[in-house]
Amino acid sequence: VLPRLSYLEFAVRWYGSVRFDLATSGLSPISAAELGQAPVDDYGAREPFKRRVAARYGVAPRTVIPCLGTSGALYVAFASLLEPGARVLVESPSYEPLWRIPEALGAAVDRFSTLDIDAVVSALTPETRVVAITNPNNPTGSVMEDAALTELAAALNERGVWLLVDEAYLELARPAHTARHLGQRVLACASTTKCWGVPWARAGFLLVPPELEEAAGRVEQLVFGSAPPACWAYGALAFERATELGERAKALQAGKRAVIDAFMKQHEETLSWVPPPETSLYGWVRDSRGGSLRERIERGIAERGVIVAPGEFFGDPSAFRLSWSTHPEALREGLKQLEAVLKL
Ligand SMILES: Cc1ncc(COP(=O)(O)O)c(C=O)c1O
């Protein structure tokens, strides 16, 4: 029986249906009509999608495993690497599937909370097979630099441990970049969802070292069978239009961060954060008064039509993830409503 996915249940229930949405972490979606025309029934679309992904990230097409979303790619990665009894070491705070998928596959999960290489290495056990992180982090938005990732990957490689990097938000911070090149045992995954606003295509991918091609390909076949070729056709179109989608993201986000910075400044006695990079669509906010915010946040949804992502799903009930991907007027009004909800 699969473990409960409490964050995803909450997200599916509320995100997109609350008036002032300060919770959804991805860019506002572009419509299929606006993205362009792609055939929906051509099974040949899978190969050109692989080639587009490979060209953008400088990898061999055969090492690109097409998956349904980053979600599907995370599953394929873990299923390719784990056997029952294995252990996985996952950063905290993090995105729920990073620990739920290993649990579902019969692995045990350990957590670590600072991305300090010595701390990660000392948390390894002889059974640890994989260390999993999100870069940029969800929920904090912080980005780990290549030098640190390279060092981490080398320390893990020496011990025969794989590093899995979820790069669902990386295109905004570092276009056309991936950690896949930073070590022999590094896997990376992402999709067109978050940074380009193409969530509906479910065009995701896993980048694997050559020695994992076969194992990951088998899992892909088993899990997705013949996935709808429209995913790959629209995914390839998104890659073809990557520059425009990146510009669209910048235009949609312009000016919003200043609004958020002013909000954080105004409430600095109560709320604190480590400011994420300017390109981030969200940040991780702590309430210094402590206590769980879950009930207040739920009342805010019901009574004031505003939503933020409760921190308890990420491991800290007195924090929340604040996103600014909604349109500017909704952002301003949502922040006003949030002040009332949190009694700021
Ligand atoms: C870190 C992270 N990875 C993966 C996903 C899933 O995205 P996709 O639409 O690519 O499956 C999300 C969605 O919230 C996410 O935050």
Side-chain angles (χ1 to χ4, degrees), residues 25 69-71 74 95 134 138 166 168-169 191 193-194 202:
S25 63
T70 316
S71 313
L74 287 170
Y95 177 61
T134 60
N138 179 9
D166 176 333
Y169 300 94
S191 76
T193 296
K194 303 288 180 184
R202 308 308 302 135

Side-chain angles (χ1 to χ4, degrees), residues 19 23 36 79 95 149 152 186 197 207 237 240 250 272 274 321 328 330:
R19 189 153 168 227
Y95 177 61
L149 277 168
L152 175 62
V186 180
L207 309 179
L237 196 53
E240 197 181 316
K250 276 189 205 147
S272 65
V274 177
R321 191 189 63 199

Side-chain angles (χ1 to χ4, degrees), residues 50-51 53-55 57-65 180-181 206-208 210 213:
K50 286 175 64 165
R51 284 200 297 272
V53 176
Y57 299 111
V59 299
R62 58 173 201 283
T63 63
V64 176
I65 312 293
R180 171 65 275 281
H181 301 292
L206 174 66
L207 309 179
V208 296
E213 267 170 55

Side-chain angles (χ1 to χ4, degrees), residues 26 30 51-52 63 68 71 77 88 102 104 136 151 167 204 212 237 258 276 286 288 293-294 313 329:
I30 190 171
R51 284 200 297 272
R52 288 267 178 201
T63 63
L68 296 184
S71 313
V88 176
E151 206 185 319
E167 301 181 330
L212 282 180
L237 196 53
R286 285 212 167 78
S288 61
L293 296 175
R294 174 76 184 269
F313 297 125
E329 307 87 80

Side-chain angles (χ1 to χ4, degrees), residues 102-124:
E103 282 177 7
L105 291 166
V109 176
D110 303 305
R111 307 294 300 271
F112 66 95
S113 53
T114 32
L115 253 174
D116 166 77
I117 291 160
D118 294 336
V120 177
V121 168
S122 60
L124 296 172

